[in-house]
Amino acid sequence: MTDTSPVLMLMKRPDLFGLEGLGERYSLQSEPGPGIAVALTGGNEGIDAATIDACPDLKLIAVCAVGYDKVDVEYAKARGIAVTNTPDVLTDDVADLALALMLSVFRKIPHYDQYVREGRWASEGTPGLSRSLTGRRIGILGLGRIGLAIAERVRPIAGEIAYHSRSPKAGAEWRYEADPVALAQWAEVLVVAVAGGGGTKGLVGKAVIEALGPEGVLINIARGSVVDEEALVEALVSGKLGGAGLDVFADEPHVPEALFGLESVVLLPHQGSATRETRAQMAKLAIDNIEAYLGGKPLLTPV
Ligand code: NAP
């Protein structure tokens, strides 16, 4: 079905969501302006207050991501504009990737892969030892949808699991820590799964990083803004923190080069939800929200 409603298209890589044909369905606009009721954007792109202001008729911002930290939601709501996101459909893939990062750091998988490819196994012999993930104390910072899925995945291998959110979660069987520093002090692995945005900016600061310590490992699949990146780099380079598995960074796509040479660190280019299956589901949910709005029906996943 073709709908002539203009849609402000802010996603930079619609092809990575299977949305390259969307122009056949809607009249896609690349610039804000009057007459546009719907904006479609991604988690990285978001939409700022100036762009919202430049669309006086805007009624819906559909975010094709679960994280909406790059959307000025308060401002949008004050202007009577609804915001939708794509929760749940990406939870499994992001949780899988968190587990993959843990295994990659502890078992040095990327490092050893490179060792083989460079011919060093043959020339230098068997490399040194890695560390076990099984039996570790795993702390989860942010027991939301993804945090919970991570807890479920590590349940069979973790020694113990504990978590911190702003409040204990009803029905959660894991031990609650009221303070992120106390959680980091206890944990051998700290997995960051909180929402991004102003409320969590720098939540993982120097104190949390140093509490995790020289044997500890930080995994971040949430948002780069949650971690004090300067403190993280300093701690990893100086050995005050044992290792890190990072999918997200403060200033993507720029990653601190000081990390490039560290064996203890695994770096990914923000791949949490980036599978064909999940991206297709995210795109479908974002479009279903737009269709619900255009059809005068209740939004499926309002923020
Ligand atoms: P969610 O269900 O809303 O969970 C977010 C959790 O953060 C909640 O448990 C919340 O608990 C906690 N939280 C929020 N503010 C906090 C604070 N100040 N201190 C401690 N905990 C806080 O969201 P989700 O679906 O699990 O997604 C989590 C985040 O993952 C997203 O917001 C997004 O940024 C990120 N993500 C990354 C990728 C990737 O590609 N790497 C993909 C998808 C999502 P309380 O309210 O009890 O504090």
Side-chain angles (χ1 to χ4, degrees):
M1 192 183 82
T2 304
D3 194 306
T4 51
S5 311
V7 170
L8 178 64
M9 182 52 159
L10 297 173
M11 292 171 74
K12 290 196 182 121
R13 293 292 306 273
D15 55 308
L16 294 180
F17 293 79
L19 285 173
E20 54 273 59
L22 203 63
E24 290 160 25
R25 187 160 172 182
Y26 303 113
S27 162
L28 296 184
Q29 312 289 311
S30 56
E31 295 297 328
I36 295 173
V38 175
L40 175 60
T41 191
N44 294 332
E45 297 89 345
I47 184 170
D48 58 19
T51 308
I52 293 174
D53 279 343
C55 297
D57 303 308
L58 195 62
K59 291 285 177 290
L60 173 69
I61 298 167
V63 185
C64 195
V66 70
Y68 46 85
D69 44 295
K70 298 250 173 85
V71 176
D72 196 333
V73 176
E74 292 310 312
Y75 188 66
K77 285 196 173 165
R79 289 254 330 254
I81 301 164
V83 179
T84 59
N85 66 345
T86 62
D88 299 313
V89 293
L90 42 65
T91 297
D92 285 333
D93 271 344
V94 183
D96 285 350
L97 200 75
L99 178 57
L101 278 171
M102 284 181 232
L103 285 164
S104 297
V105 173
F106 277 88
R107 302 308 307 271
K108 298 191 181 179
I109 296 170
H111 172 64
Y112 288 153
D113 176 84
Q114 205 178 350
Y115 192 85
V116 173
R117 286 167 199 258
E118 287 172 356
R120 292 170 62 195
W121 190 16
S123 64
E124 296 176 31
T126 303
L129 302 179
S130 62
R131 297 201 293 154
S132 295
L133 177 61
T134 294
R136 300 273 170 206
R137 292 186 300 276
I138 300 182
I140 297 178
L141 190 59
L143 199 75
R145 290 170 291 246
I146 294 171
L148 195 58
I150 294 169
E152 293 296 349
R153 275 161 179 71
V154 297
R155 178 207 296 267
I157 56 169
E160 269 180 275
I161 299 171
Y163 74 98
H164 167 79
S165 286
R166 283 167 297 185
S167 56
K169 299 287 162 208
E173 65 186 272
W174 324 111
R175 193 168 60 74
Y176 177 72
E177 279 284 0
D179 169 13
V181 176
L183 181 67
Q185 228 143 26
W186 168 86
E188 297 175 281
V189 188
L190 184 69
V191 189
V192 185
V194 293
T200 55
K201 190 166 166 41
L203 183 68
V204 178
K206 200 165 179 260
V208 172
I209 292 167
E210 290 187 359
L212 200 50
E215 295 293 309
V217 169
L218 182 79
I219 304 293
N220 188 7
I221 49 75
R223 286 288 183 264
S225 60
V226 181
V227 176
D228 177 343
E229 197 164 86
E230 211 175 299
L232 175 67
V233 171
E234 196 279 319
L236 286 164
V237 169
S238 67
K240 281 184 221 145
L241 179 65
L246 309 171
D247 186 42
V248 287
F249 301 89
D251 180 27
E252 295 173 9
H254 306 290
V255 175
E257 287 188 20
L259 300 179
F260 289 3
L262 299 183
E263 257 178 50
S264 57
V265 177
V266 176
L267 306 167
L268 296 179
H270 201 146
Q271 290 295 294
S273 68
T275 64
R276 280 184 293 195
E277 295 81 2
T278 286
R279 286 290 173 80
Q281 288 194 68
M282 291 164 70
K284 181 176 183 310
L285 186 50
I287 301 305
D288 285 351
N289 273 300
I290 293 176
E291 288 295 306
Y293 163 74
L294 294 174
K297 297 192 185 120
L299 298 171
L300 281 82
T301 47
V303 167

